[in-house]
Amino acid sequence: MKEASRILSQACREGRKSLLETEAKTICVEYGIPVTRFELAGSAEEAVKFANRIGFPTVLKIVSQDIIHKSDIGGVIIDLKNADDVRHGYNQILQNVKKNNSKARIAGVLVQEMAPSSTEVIVGATKDPQFGPAIMFGLGGVFVEVLKDVTFRIAPITEDDAREMISEVKAYPLLKGYRNTPPADIDTIVKILLNTSRLVTDHMEIKELDLNPVIVYEKGAKTVDARIILE
Ligand code: ADP
Ligand code: MG
């Protein structure tokens, strides 16, 4: 909670309305929400060094307070297989961003572990002016975006609430495994929902939180993208 408070108050002092992915993920880690390993690089060579440490394939992402939707502007490159890919990817991302928003303030390029694909879920929180923060759950991709197959509970939620949320979405059977996708680790999703609830009730200055996607495995899960919007 110490690190979260420090990051949130610093962002407030700077008059920012959103956290960087690095900041949001640091808070997630403090709250026991699993994320992909990451390090922030300030040069192509540093990105290569971090990629060697984290392992290949790797992912690069722009980190800028002025860019909320990174892939819309070519700010995300996945599946980089070697040092040369990383060097090129680094320069490509900066070029893409410059072309799109020449004034964007750039904090660096995030090098992160590439999470193998599996079932994707979305965990979110939004603040209702009357009831305070509500926790949201759904399965990734078309289920949330097209079918709006999501469920909400007012925070703080209990473990029973979390289990109910998971089992009441229409896409729930997919979590039990299908074709080549193994069953998803429901207990880990429960923990992520509970920890998200704790995070947003501890920090009422959070207006919106979005873990999208969280990739869930047979054992464990990895949050690939985390967004936190402030009041
Ligand atoms: P944004 O939502 O800001 O455009 P994301 O960080 O969500 O950017 O990246 C876009 C997409 O790229 C994700 O939805 C996911 O499919 C893929 N992706 C991003 N990071 C990773 C990662 N570390 N491992 C695997 N896939 C990733
Ligand atoms: Mg995303």
Side-chain angles (χ1 to χ4, degrees):
M1 187 161 160
K2 285 222 296 285
E3 189 74 344
S5 302
R6 188 188 63 73
I7 290 170
L8 288 162
S9 54
Q10 184 182 337
C12 281
R13 266 201 313 280
E14 291 173 5
R16 283 191 274 144
K17 286 287 167 220
S18 63
L19 298 187
L20 303 173
E21 181 176 340
T22 44
E23 296 171 323
K25 282 185 167 171
T26 301
I27 292 177
C28 284
V29 170
E30 191 173 36
Y31 273 84
I33 298 165
V35 305
T36 45
R37 278 187 68 191
F38 63 91
E39 300 208 60
L40 187 64
S43 70
E45 281 322 304
E46 202 176 21
V48 169
K49 186 177 86 187
F50 291 151
N52 279 323
R53 197 138 79 193
I54 292 171
F56 292 97
T58 193
V59 174
L60 295 180
K61 297 189 202 183
I62 193 67
V63 180
S64 164
Q65 61 184 101
D66 302 309
I67 298 164
I68 302 262
H69 297 285
K70 301 172 292 283
S71 48
D72 290 357
I73 58 143
V76 177
I77 306 182
I78 66 167
D79 207 19
L80 299 156
K81 293 193 165 66
N82 52 50
D84 263 352
D85 282 1
V86 170
R87 255 179 230 113
H88 287 130
Y90 185 96
N91 294 318
Q92 185 67 54
I93 281 188
L94 292 184
Q95 209 178 311
N96 294 348
V97 170
K98 277 231 177 71
K99 203 161 25 174
N100 224 275
N101 181 352
S102 57
K103 293 205 186 83
R105 288 160 285 185
I106 291 162
V109 172
L110 199 57
V111 182
Q112 68 180 241
E113 173 189 2
M114 169 123 175
S117 51
S118 186
T119 309
E120 296 191 1
V121 304
I122 295 177
V123 172
T126 48
K127 224 158 138 191
D128 180 276
Q130 240 182 53
F131 300 108
I135 306 300
M136 186 270 268
F137 172 77
L139 268 79
V142 293
F143 296 102
V144 168
E145 283 159 31
V146 185
L147 303 172
K148 314 287 178 212
D149 179 21
V150 293
T151 179
F152 291 90
R153 287 287 185 291
I154 301 297
I157 59 169
T158 64
E159 180 172 341
D160 284 346
D161 292 331
R163 289 193 190 277
E164 246 175 54
M165 288 176 78
I166 295 165
S167 57
E168 77 190 13
V169 295
K170 293 195 189 71
Y172 172 66
L174 294 178
L175 294 176
K176 292 195 267 185
Y178 59 98
R179 296 205 191 149
N180 299 325
T181 309
D185 185 344
I186 304 277
D187 289 344
T188 291
I189 306 175
V190 169
K191 270 191 208 133
I192 294 173
L193 287 167
L194 289 172
N195 288 336
T196 300
S197 166
R198 198 159 52 82
L199 165 57
V200 296
T201 37
D202 281 353
H203 297 284
M204 292 305 266
E205 63 271 51
I206 296 176
K207 186 179 173 202
E208 264 174 60
L209 174 149
D210 209 8
L211 309 179
N212 180 7
V214 180
I215 306 185
V216 190
Y217 303 99
E218 217 169 342
K219 216 166 172 357
K222 291 254 159 86
T223 301
V224 150
D225 185 22
R227 209 171 345 257
I228 292 180
I229 309 289
L230 305 174
E231 283 290 2

